[in-house]
């Protein structure tokens, strides 16, 4: 007991700091490391994403128990969620919310019977970037030049407390086309911006242009 009391006395400030930081990261805000290119060109491999865990819920720390719903994910939001089907934390963009009917034809979305507008940007031999206009907002997506099976699906009507999510890298993303609709209870928070980004192809040096870059 004397040893424990001495340890507490000598390290009290550090222990309290670690405990408070753990609670903060569990229930208030955290960062998410992006290991894949499923959200390119919006998010790069190696980005550390600031996640607002109070964007939608006030939760009991270290659990998924919601004490109070503060809001709901909206179409266009980039969310981090703990997928049971994928057995992993994922980051994707919300495309459809409860009540929406969504389909995909030739990599172009149709929501509630209305096809979204698109504008071409730069392209390569393999893929092209486009601006996608989603409910008054715009973001960049990447699509393969040659048609893939994942480039289309028939109408899906989204049930209450579920969301349809897609990666911005449309032909290289394991999203709702693979793991199905996302339950509201799996949503951990809203991705707000890039804290920092390390380039694995360049000796893990920081990408200066991505520091504190907001996500849209």
């Amino acid at each position: 007991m004397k040893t424990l009391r001495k340890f507490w006395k000598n390290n009290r400030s550090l222990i309290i700091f670690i405990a408070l930081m753990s609670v903060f990261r569990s229930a208030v805000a955290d960062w998410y490391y992006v290991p894949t290119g499923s959200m390119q060109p919006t998010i790069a491999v190696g980005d550390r994403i600031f996640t607002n865990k109070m964007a939608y819920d006030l939760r009991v720390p270290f659990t998924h128990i919601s004490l109070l719903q503060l809001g709901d994910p909206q179409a266009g939001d980039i969310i981090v969620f703990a997928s049971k089907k994928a057995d992993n934390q994922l980051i994707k963009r919300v495309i459809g919310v409860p009540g929406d009917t969504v389909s995909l034809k030739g990599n172009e979305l149709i929501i509630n019977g209305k096809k979204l507008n698109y504008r071409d940007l730069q392209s390569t031999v393999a893929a092209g970037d486009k601006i996608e206009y989603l409910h008054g907002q715009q973001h960049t997506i990447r699509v393969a030049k040659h048609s893939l099976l994942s480039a289309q699906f028939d109408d899906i009507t989204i049930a209450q407390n579920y969301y349809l999510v897609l990666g911005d890298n449309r032909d290289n993303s394991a999203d709702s086309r693979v793991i199905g609709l996302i339950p509201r209870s799996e949503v951990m928070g809203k991705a707000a911006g890039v804290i920092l980004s390390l380039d694995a192809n360049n000796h893990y040096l920081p990408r200066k242009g991505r520091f504190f870059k907001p996500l849209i």
Side-chain angles (χ1 to χ4, degrees), residues 139-160:
H139 53 266
T140 307
I141 64 170
R142 181 164 293 168
V143 298
K145 283 294 184 67
H146 302 290
S147 181
L148 301 175
L149 183 62
S150 60
Q152 52 191 346
F153 57 80
D154 293 331
D155 280 348
I156 298 173
T157 299
I158 303 168
Q160 194 68 24

Side-chain angles (χ1 to χ4, degrees), residues 129-177:
D129 290 352
K130 297 182 178 184
I131 297 292
E132 180 175 78
Y133 295 88
L134 177 63
H135 299 328
Q137 302 179 41
Q138 63 183 57
H139 53 266
T140 307
I141 64 170
R142 181 164 293 168
V143 298
K145 283 294 184 67
H146 302 290
S147 181
L148 301 175
L149 183 62
S150 60
Q152 52 191 346
F153 57 80
D154 293 331
D155 280 348
I156 298 173
T157 299
I158 303 168
Q160 194 68 24
N161 293 319
Y162 283 86
Y163 298 87
L164 187 146
V165 300
L166 297 176
D168 287 351
N169 194 354
R170 289 290 158 84
D171 296 300
N172 291 281
S173 176
D175 44 42
S176 285
R177 292 168 290 185

Side-chain angles (χ1 to χ4, degrees), residues 52-64:
N52 179 3
K53 289 193 169 184
M54 292 185 65
Y56 309 121
D57 292 276
L58 177 63
R59 284 195 170 92
V60 177
F62 311 111
T63 76
H64 284 284

Side-chain angles (χ1 to χ4, degrees), residues 17-33 48-54 59-63 89 188-189 195:
F17 172 79
I18 292 173
L20 291 176
M21 182 58 67
S22 297
V23 170
F24 180 85
R25 291 187 62 181
S26 171
V28 180
D30 200 358
W31 61 268
Y32 174 83
Y33 168 72
R48 270 67 172 174
I49 305 298
F50 176 79
T51 304
N52 179 3
K53 289 193 169 184
M54 292 185 65
R59 284 195 170 92
V60 177
F62 311 111
T63 76
Q89 289 187 24
M188 299 174 63
I195 300 173

Side-chain angles (χ1 to χ4, degrees), residues 65-211:
I65 299 172
S66 177
L67 296 173
L68 178 67
Q69 286 197 4
L70 303 175
D72 289 309
Q74 301 298 309
D77 287 359
I78 299 175
I79 61 171
V80 175
F81 57 98
S83 172
K84 291 182 179 178
K85 287 189 177 180
D87 192 26
N88 199 4
Q89 289 187 24
L90 302 175
I91 183 168
K92 306 292 177 187
R93 188 181 297 276
V94 176
I95 298 298
V97 300
D100 282 345
T101 298
V102 182
S103 62
L104 186 69
K105 305 295 182 185
N107 257 326
E108 294 187 342
L109 286 162
I110 302 168
I111 301 178
N112 299 326
K114 183 177 180 180
K115 189 175 84 68
L116 302 191
N117 292 322
Y118 293 85
R119 177 165 59 87
D120 290 334
L121 297 174
Q122 69 271 16
S123 64
T124 66
V125 174
D129 290 352
K130 297 182 178 184
I131 297 292
E132 180 175 78
Y133 295 88
L134 177 63
H135 299 328
Q137 302 179 41
Q138 63 183 57
H139 53 266
T140 307
I141 64 170
R142 181 164 293 168
V143 298
K145 283 294 184 67
H146 302 290
S147 181
L148 301 175
L149 183 62
S150 60
Q152 52 191 346
F153 57 80
D154 293 331
D155 280 348
I156 298 173
T157 299
I158 303 168
Q160 194 68 24
N161 293 319
Y162 283 86
Y163 298 87
L164 187 146
V165 300
L166 297 176
D168 287 351
N169 194 354
R170 289 290 158 84
D171 296 300
N172 291 281
S173 176
D175 44 42
S176 285
R177 292 168 290 185
V178 177
I179 60 175
L181 300 178
I182 308 306
R184 173 70 170 75
S185 59
E186 291 185 354
V187 178
M188 299 174 63
K190 181 179 180 180
V194 180
I195 300 173
L196 62 91
S197 183
L198 302 179
D199 189 352
N201 295 320
N202 189 23
H203 308 290
Y204 290 95
L205 291 175
R207 299 183 178 102
K208 295 181 180 179
R210 298 193 67 79
F211 276 74

